[in-house]
Amino acid sequence: MSSLEQMLPMELWSGRLFTGQWISSGANRPVFEPATGCELGSVAMADAQVVCESVKIAKVAQDSWYQLPYEKRAEILRKAFTIGETFREEIVYWIVRESGSTRAKAEFELSVSLKSLQEAAALPARSQGEVLPARAGRLSIARRRPLGVVGVISPFNFPLYLAMRAVAPALAVGNSVVLKPDPRTAVCGGLIIARLFELAGLPSGVLHVLPGEGDAGAALVSAPEVAMIQFTGSTAAGRKVGEAAGKHLKKVSLELGGKNSLIILDDADIDIAVANAVWGSYLHQGQICMATGRILVQRGIYDQFLTRLVKKAKTMQVGDPSKENVELGPIINQQQIDNIKRIVRSAVEAGAKLEVGGGHENLFFEATVLSNVSNSNPAFKEEIFGPVAVVIPFDKDDDACILANDTEYGLSAGVITSNVGRAMKIADCINSGILHINDQTVNDEVVNPFGGTGASGNGSSVGGASNWEEYTQWQWLTVQSEAPLYPL
C-alpha cells in the first residue's frame, strides 16, 4: 500500500473524475470488494452533463495533441509503460481486490496491458499512408488521419486490459479519448489508466476518465464531438450502442459476447485436453467473452474425458484471492450469481446432468460440470459467464463443425488433436473471428487482430495491425503545381 499511495493516493482520486485534472463530482459510488463485501473507497460518477462538457474539452485538446511531433507521442506512451512496470504490485493489488481476479489472472492482465502500451508506442513512427498512381506532374496520396475524439466504454471482467487496448492505440495515432469504465471496476479499469498517463506527461484534456451509469454512456454515444465508439461488453448492451451510434452516423467497434467451442478429437492426449478445457472454462470464474462455453468431445474418449474433468473440478479451490492461493475467486456481483444459477437450474430441468458443483456461498460459485446437454438446452445456447463447463459428445468430425456453428455468436474456437491436418479441415468450416489449433479459446497476445462475427461483434477488430484501421480514417490528398482550366 505504501508504494500504491505514491502512484494513486486515495485523497487524489476519491470522489473525483479525471478530465486532465482531478475534479470533484457531486455523485459518488462505493467501490466494493466482491470477495468480502468491504468498501475499498468511493469513485465519482459522471452524469450526461459532465460527459458533454468533457467531450468538448477533448475535442479542443485533440488537435494540439496530434500536432505534437510523433516522437513526443511515442515518448509519453513509453513513459506510461515504465510507470506501469514500476508500480506492478500496486496495480495487481487493485485488479485482485476490485475485480475478484486471482493473482495469476491479475498479473497476466497487467502484462498484456503493458504490452499494449509498448505496441501503441510504436504506432506514431509507422508509415501513415501510401503514394497512389497519378499522371505526370500530380502527386496522389492516401494518408491516415486521426478520427478526433474516441469514446471507449469498457467492461468489468478484464477491466484494465479491455480499456487499455483501446485507449493506448487511439491516443498513439493522435486522437483524444473519453473513457467510461464500468463503475464496478472504475479504479483498476479507469483511474489507474488516468494516473499512468498523467504521470507520463499527457497534455491536459486529451484523456478523460468518467465512470458512470447508462446515462453517461448514452451521452457519450450521442455527443456530436465524438467520432467513434469502441464498446466491449454484452451483446444485449452492444446492440443498443450500435443502434445509437448508427443513428448518429458514428464509427463503432463492438466487441461482444461469445459461446465458444473447444473441440477435442479422439486422437487427443486426454490429460492435455482436460488442462485446456479447465483453463478455458474456469479462468476468472468463466467471466470472459472468450471462455470455453462448450466442450465438444468425440465419443470415443468422451467418458474418460468427463471422468477426469469432474475429478479436477472437485479439487478446485474457491476463495478470496487476496488472502489465499485459490483457483477460483468471486463472481462480480449477486446479479451475475443469480444468472448463473438460473441457467444451471434451467439446464438440469431440460435434461442436463449436474456432474459436480452448482452451488455457491455468497459470491463464490463452485466449479461446475454439466453433461448430457442437447442443442436445445439453455446451457448450450446461452453465454453463462460463470465457472460452468458444458460437455457435449459428438461422433464424426463434421458433427463437431455443425455443433460449433450452432450459435448466433462467432468469437473464438479451439481444436485439440494430434493430427494438425485433420484439425485444419475442421478449421475451414468454423465460423469464428478467432481460431486456435491445439489451444483453448481464451487467448490474446496484443499483436493480433481481435474480433468476432455475428452476435460477437460487428466484424471489426482491435489490436495489432488492425489498430491503424480502427482509430484512423483515410484522407485522399492530391497536389499539383497549378490548378487545371476545366472546359465548362
Side-chain angles (χ1 to χ4, degrees):
M1 285 296 292
S2 58
S3 53
L4 169 66
E5 294 185 346
Q6 294 173 29
M7 184 186 76
L8 192 67
M10 189 165 293
E11 60 269 20
L12 177 70
W13 62 267
S14 183
R16 291 184 174 90
L17 304 167
F18 184 77
T19 62
Q21 309 291 329
W22 296 92
I23 63 170
S24 296
S25 172
N28 295 330
R29 172 180 173 141
V31 178
F32 290 112
E33 181 179 27
T36 64
C38 292
E39 187 173 325
L40 301 175
S42 179
V43 295
M45 296 287 283
D47 58 17
Q49 181 180 348
V50 170
V51 171
C52 290
E53 292 169 354
S54 268
V55 297
K56 288 179 171 63
I57 296 170
K59 179 71 172 177
V60 172
Q62 184 270 325
D63 185 63
S64 59
W65 167 241
Y66 178 57
Q67 294 304 325
L68 284 177
Y70 72 90
E71 301 100 322
K72 182 63 176 176
R73 278 185 274 129
E75 179 187 355
I76 289 171
L77 286 153
R78 287 194 296 268
K79 284 183 177 178
F81 166 82
T82 300
I83 294 164
E85 282 281 17
T86 301
F87 293 101
R88 290 188 72 96
E89 283 301 312
E90 292 71 24
I91 297 171
V92 166
Y93 163 89
W94 275 110
I95 297 172
V96 170
R97 297 294 298 275
E98 190 182 24
S99 74
S101 301
T102 62
R103 183 175 179 86
K105 180 265 187 185
E107 289 175 342
F108 169 74
E109 180 173 357
L110 176 57
S111 70
V112 292
S113 300
L114 294 176
K115 187 176 180 180
S116 71
L117 281 168
Q118 282 184 309
E119 292 298 317
L123 290 176
R126 291 183 184 171
S127 172
Q128 298 179 22
E130 56 185 284
V131 178
L132 304 176
R135 63 179 180 269
R138 189 179 199 229
L139 181 64
S140 180
I141 299 173
R143 61 177 182 171
R144 283 288 184 181
R145 306 278 286 176
L147 296 164
V149 182
V150 174
V152 177
I153 303 174
S154 58
F156 73 85
N157 55 332
F158 265 70
L160 179 64
Y161 176 58
L162 295 182
M164 187 70 85
R165 74 173 182 181
V167 171
L171 290 174
V173 298
N175 299 289
S176 56
V177 174
V178 179
L179 166 64
K180 191 197 86 66
D182 190 302
R184 292 170 291 186
T185 49
V187 180
C188 63
L191 302 183
I192 282 174
I193 295 173
R195 186 62 170 157
L196 288 175
F197 279 106
E198 181 188 33
L199 293 173
L202 186 72
S204 181
V206 175
L207 172 64
H208 300 245
V209 178
L210 309 176
E213 300 290 359
D215 61 331
L220 188 60
V221 174
S222 64
E225 296 84 0
V226 176
M228 174 190 175
I229 295 293
Q230 200 291 310
F231 173 86
T232 304
S234 71
T235 296
R239 292 184 195 276
K240 295 177 182 177
V241 170
E243 180 180 3
K247 177 181 177 182
H248 295 284
L249 302 179
K250 295 184 190 298
K251 185 175 185 178
V252 61
S253 166
L254 301 174
E255 298 296 337
L256 309 177
K259 190 67 177 177
N260 312 293
S261 292
L262 177 62
I263 299 169
I264 300 173
L265 300 181
D266 56 9
D267 58 9
D269 180 290
I270 294 179
D271 288 333
I272 291 174
V274 169
N276 276 264
V278 167
W279 184 268
S281 300
Y282 297 131
L283 180 65
H284 195 42
Q285 299 78 260
Q287 298 174 116
I288 307 174
C289 60
M290 294 179 287
T292 300
R294 302 163 173 169
I295 306 170
L296 309 180
V297 186
Q298 203 147 27
R299 198 166 308 265
I301 61 170
Y302 176 81
D303 290 338
Q304 297 177 65
F305 175 89
L306 182 61
T307 297
R308 296 191 198 182
L309 177 64
V310 170
K311 181 179 179 181
K312 174 62 178 176
K314 288 179 179 178
T315 68
M316 296 188 76
Q317 297 297 309
V318 185
D320 183 348
S322 70
K323 297 183 175 65
E324 307 171 68
N325 184 21
V326 297
E327 294 154 305
L328 296 175
I331 301 299
I332 190 64
N333 60 17
Q334 185 62 45
Q335 180 180 0
Q336 185 57 26
I337 283 281
D338 292 342
N339 189 57
I340 299 167
K341 288 167 56 181
R342 176 190 64 80
I343 296 174
V344 171
R345 182 175 62 250
S346 298
V348 173
E349 291 172 354
K353 181 180 178 182
L354 181 63
E355 298 281 353
V356 64
H360 73 98
E361 182 176 346
N362 298 321
L363 297 184
F364 298 99
F365 206 95
E366 298 172 325
T368 299
V369 177
L370 292 172
S371 66
N372 197 36
V373 176
S374 69
N375 62 359
S376 62
N377 194 291
F380 183 93
K381 297 290 187 183
E382 295 188 48
E383 183 180 29
I384 302 174
F385 233 61
V388 181
V390 178
V391 190
I392 301 159
F394 68 90
D395 293 304
K396 300 178 181 179
D397 291 9
D398 289 347
D399 297 332
C401 292
I402 293 170
L403 287 168
N405 289 334
D406 186 7
T407 175
E408 64 174 343
Y409 297 104
L411 183 53
S412 185
V415 182
I416 306 294
T417 178
S418 61
N419 186 333
V420 172
R422 185 180 174 193
M424 287 296 294
K425 291 181 181 179
I426 293 175
D428 288 342
C429 76
I430 299 295
N431 298 323
S432 66
I434 301 166
L435 179 60
H436 305 289
I437 292 174
N438 282 326
D439 208 342
Q440 44 74 47
T441 58
V442 182
N443 275 282
D444 196 342
E445 296 176 1
V446 181
V447 295
N448 55 284
F450 182 100
T453 63
S456 292
N458 59 344
S460 67
S461 291
V462 295
S466 62
N467 280 332
W468 265 112
E469 187 72 29
E470 280 298 285
Y471 300 113
T472 62
Q473 61 185 10
W474 284 109
Q475 182 188 62
W476 182 36
L477 172 68
T478 67
V479 180
Q480 46 198 348
S481 59
E482 58 183 45
L485 182 64
Y486 286 101
L488 292 182

